[in-house]
Amino acid sequence: MHFSYIPLALAELAALSRAVPTSTVPASLSAPSAAAPPTAPTVRLDAGIFVGASEGPANKFLGIPFAQPPVGDLRFRLPVPAAPYAGTYNASAFGLACAQQNDTLRVPPAIVSNVTQFLGGGVIAPSGEDCLTLNVYTPANVTRGAKLPVVVWIFGGGFEFGGTSSYDGTAVVATSVKMGTPVIFVSMNYRLSLFGFLASKEVKEAGVGNLGLQDQRLALHWVQEYISAFGGDPAKVTLWGESAGALSVALHMTTNGGDAEGLFRGAFMQSGAPLAVGDISGGQADYDRIVADAGCAAARDTLQCLREAPFETLLQAANGSPALFGPSALNLSWQPRVDGVFVTDVPQTLVKQGSVADVPFVNGNCDDEGTLFSLATLNITTDAEVKAYLQSNYLPEASSSQLDKILELYPQDPAQGSPFGTGTNNTLSPQFKRLAAIQGDLVFQSSRRFFLQERAHKQPAFAYIHKRFKATPGIGSAHITDIISVFGGTDMTEYLVNFVVGLNPNGPGLLGWPAYSTAAPRLMTFLDGPVPLNITADDFRVEGMQLLTELQQAHPLE
């Protein structure tokens, strides 16, 4: 059976945030710029004056460098803090996004118009290596000593693409002001694809693994040093992320023996939790290919040779890597791995060992996490092909009987597949709904449930399931649909603001959100229709997720 596709080039996976188009400036703002109009908001950092922009109830300070440009000999090295600021800087436009890996979402013609409308709208800045900047959104009338709570956003994109310009923090700040509990919103760029997650024995020996996570950590230290100048309280920081951003938040919780170093006091994770990923040497084949493509195979120090290679050569090599929306789907080439420094063991093993920051957290999923990632495999149409795909792509060491058990627990019956609850609708191919169910549970749902079951009796925890946009043809309540809700000034935004302010999502005018209990686990459920909120049990596909968790832990993703 043959299926045709219409390729949709994506600038960014999470382009659902009602981004506001902006002009851009170079990421490193080392040269003082011309003075802005006297009505523009300003803030002093060290001996520097940053001139931002006003947008209704919020002031924006954009493109502030928090690290030295990771170029030249600083490429593939740990981030270095920016030098003390001096002079006057234009902070009214985003800096460069970090270098992007190209990707294409392959969509069947029957649903292309729906998916295009669903995904459209995001704006991403031009990209490059000089990209380590962050952005601060404050209420318009905030003063330096206000000590407002702070939420720090980490975007998603499979660690391959994405940028802060696609996420306008104005709605979050505006909602918080309207609620009478104002907060400050911060977002940061971090290195992506091979620039941020190069993996090999050479990388491990040099201690430069997971550079994207190290970039994020440095940005959190910047917040501690400078956020008070914007009216924020460095003691009241909440980490917030989606997809790769949520996984990043989870890794900040599990790194450093669970010691948060005072960098954050709460965590809000959308579609991401600690995964079972293996050693950084698992990326050796991709590293060797990059080395060969860059003409560095004969070099004595291949890593240093890569530092000296032309940027365009490395970018071309990155674009030749398997991509998030390709057939390998959620088996990523460039992702966090065990490096012995930031990630000292398999993340789910760290959770079992108690290496988790003791902070309240929220962890949730969209109902149909796997649909977007299953559109590229509509050519898989038989049970045997599903089994072979799972073994070759995710579980190469699993036994035949274990794989058969997965197929038994996730049957071919479309009524039991994803988009869930849609009967035989959305059967784009004979195995599409089955694969979507398996992939969504393998990477997203099972890891969330594992994390909550391990930690909810030890620290305050809340969980949700997002079932809005269920009627979207083909993909249902797909991965990233909850971004629309939380960035859109809805009830979900209010729950977020409440959590940032008081480490509990509950507040006036909202349905009570129960803490997660391992004995009787319940989920805040976001719904379409006249009853938009409900409390439901976290008791679906228990046996299937338990098996997937066991197999992940026995055979971590390489």
Side-chain angles (χ1 to χ4, degrees):
M1 187 176 294
H2 174 73
F3 292 89
S4 62
Y5 300 95
I6 295 179
L8 298 179
L10 297 182
E12 147 130 44
L13 168 64
L16 298 173
S17 55
R18 300 185 180 180
V20 177
T22 62
S23 60
T24 59
V25 295
S28 61
L29 300 177
S30 56
S33 62
T39 56
T42 63
V43 65
R44 176 181 290 273
L45 306 179
D46 301 325
I49 300 295
F50 286 78
V51 184
S54 295
E55 183 178 334
N59 290 336
K60 304 187 293 186
F61 299 89
L62 309 176
I64 302 172
F66 65 86
Q68 295 182 28
V71 299
D73 197 54
L74 292 184
R75 179 193 284 168
F76 301 130
R77 293 196 189 276
L78 297 175
V80 179
Y85 304 112
T88 301
Y89 302 87
N90 180 356
S92 63
F94 290 103
L96 295 177
C98 290
Q100 308 283 296
Q101 180 176 328
N102 288 342
D103 199 358
T104 300
L105 181 59
R106 298 158 179 83
V107 182
I111 66 169
V112 66
S113 61
N114 299 288
V115 175
T116 303
Q117 180 181 11
F118 175 73
L119 289 174
V123 174
I124 193 164
S127 61
E129 286 193 275
D130 182 1
C131 61
L132 296 184
T133 63
L134 53 73
N135 316 289
V136 182
Y137 294 69
T138 75
N141 298 318
V142 70
T143 59
R144 188 180 183 98
K147 291 192 173 183
L148 299 182
V150 181
V151 60
V152 178
W153 167 251
I154 306 177
F155 63 81
F159 301 103
E160 296 176 1
F161 44 80
T164 59
S165 62
S166 289
Y167 301 92
D168 185 8
T170 302
V172 175
V173 172
T175 299
S176 73
V177 171
K178 184 178 179 180
M179 293 169 63
T181 53
V183 304
I184 289 174
F185 172 97
V186 177
S187 59
M188 92 280 280
N189 283 323
Y190 57 97
R191 280 173 282 181
L192 302 166
S193 188
L194 66 86
F195 298 95
F197 295 94
L198 198 64
S200 69
K201 65 180 186 301
E202 293 88 348
V203 171
K204 187 173 186 178
E205 290 168 359
V208 293
N210 295 315
L211 292 176
L213 299 177
Q214 296 283 6
D215 295 341
Q216 297 168 9
R217 198 75 171 187
L218 181 60
L220 295 179
H221 283 285
W222 185 98
V223 169
Q224 290 297 301
E225 183 173 358
Y226 289 109
I227 202 63
S228 59
F230 297 86
D233 187 342
K236 296 180 179 179
V237 174
T238 295
L239 294 189
W240 169 34
E242 185 270 344
S243 192
L247 177 55
S248 297
V249 171
L251 294 174
H252 286 288
M253 291 182 69
T254 55
T255 194
N256 198 36
D259 181 2
E261 303 178 276
L263 297 174
F264 57 93
R265 65 167 189 165
F268 197 105
M269 290 162 280
Q270 300 178 233
S271 300
L275 289 174
V277 294
D279 191 79
I280 199 168
S281 61
Q284 192 69 48
D286 284 312
Y287 179 88
D288 292 343
R289 177 180 62 82
I290 300 301
V291 166
D293 289 350
C296 292
R300 176 176 299 180
D301 185 341
T302 55
L303 191 54
Q304 184 59 33
C305 184
L306 291 179
R307 292 191 181 103
E308 298 167 0
F311 167 69
E312 294 75 13
T313 299
L314 295 181
L315 186 61
Q316 183 177 358
N319 290 336
S321 305
L324 181 64
F325 291 119
S328 60
L330 296 161
N331 181 14
L332 305 175
S333 293
W334 314 111
Q335 64 179 335
R337 289 180 166 97
V338 179
D339 64 352
V341 179
F342 199 102
V343 184
T344 56
D345 205 337
V346 175
Q348 289 192 358
T349 301
L350 293 174
V351 172
K352 287 183 174 182
Q353 294 171 349
S355 177
V356 180
D358 186 13
V359 301
F361 68 91
V362 174
N363 202 183
N365 287 112
C366 297
D367 201 32
D368 300 309
E369 292 282 5
T371 52
L372 280 178
F373 308 106
S374 303
L375 294 174
T377 50
L378 297 185
N379 59 317
I380 295 176
T381 60
T382 68
D383 290 2
E385 289 171 345
V386 172
K387 181 176 179 179
Y389 175 75
L390 293 176
Q391 182 151 52
S392 63
N393 198 53
Y394 292 115
L395 297 164
E397 297 180 38
S399 68
S400 178
S401 62
Q402 288 172 328
L403 295 167
D404 287 337
K405 186 64 175 179
I406 295 176
L407 299 188
E408 175 188 332
L409 295 174
Y410 291 87
Q412 192 268 349
D413 178 10
Q416 298 186 52
S418 181
F420 297 107
T422 62
T424 58
N425 292 335
N426 304 302
T427 306
L428 302 181
S429 77
Q431 301 285 347
F432 168 72
K433 295 187 74 173
R434 181 192 223 174
L435 265 177
I438 295 171
Q439 293 195 101
D441 281 3
L442 176 70
V443 175
F444 297 105
Q445 295 279 15
S446 67
S447 60
R448 171 196 59 79
R449 185 176 285 164
F450 163 79
F451 193 35
L452 287 159
Q453 289 288 335
E454 287 287 329
R455 299 303 305 181
H457 60 291
K458 299 175 182 178
Q459 62 200 94
F462 302 84
Y464 73 84
I465 189 81
H466 187 271
K467 296 188 176 186
R468 292 176 179 169
F469 305 98
K470 179 62 77 171
T472 307
I475 57 177
S477 301
H479 185 73
I480 70 182
T481 53
D482 53 350
I483 292 182
I484 298 175
S485 292
V486 76
F487 271 93
T490 70
D491 47 12
M492 195 170 183
T493 320
E494 294 182 26
Y495 281 121
L496 168 70
V497 170
N498 286 334
F499 185 79
V500 172
V501 172
L503 299 178
N504 187 311
N506 290 291
L510 294 170
L511 179 66
W513 186 336
Y516 194 90
S517 164
T518 55
R522 293 182 291 170
L523 303 168
M524 173 58 70
T525 305
F526 296 91
L527 298 163
D528 296 315
V531 182
L533 298 170
N534 195 11
I535 307 301
T536 59
D538 187 15
D539 61 358
F540 48 90
R541 303 188 298 282
V542 172
E543 191 176 357
M545 285 194 220
Q546 180 61 37
L547 175 60
L548 293 176
T549 298
E550 292 171 359
L551 291 175
Q552 279 190 81
Q553 293 175 0
H555 313 292
L557 282 172
E558 292 294 332

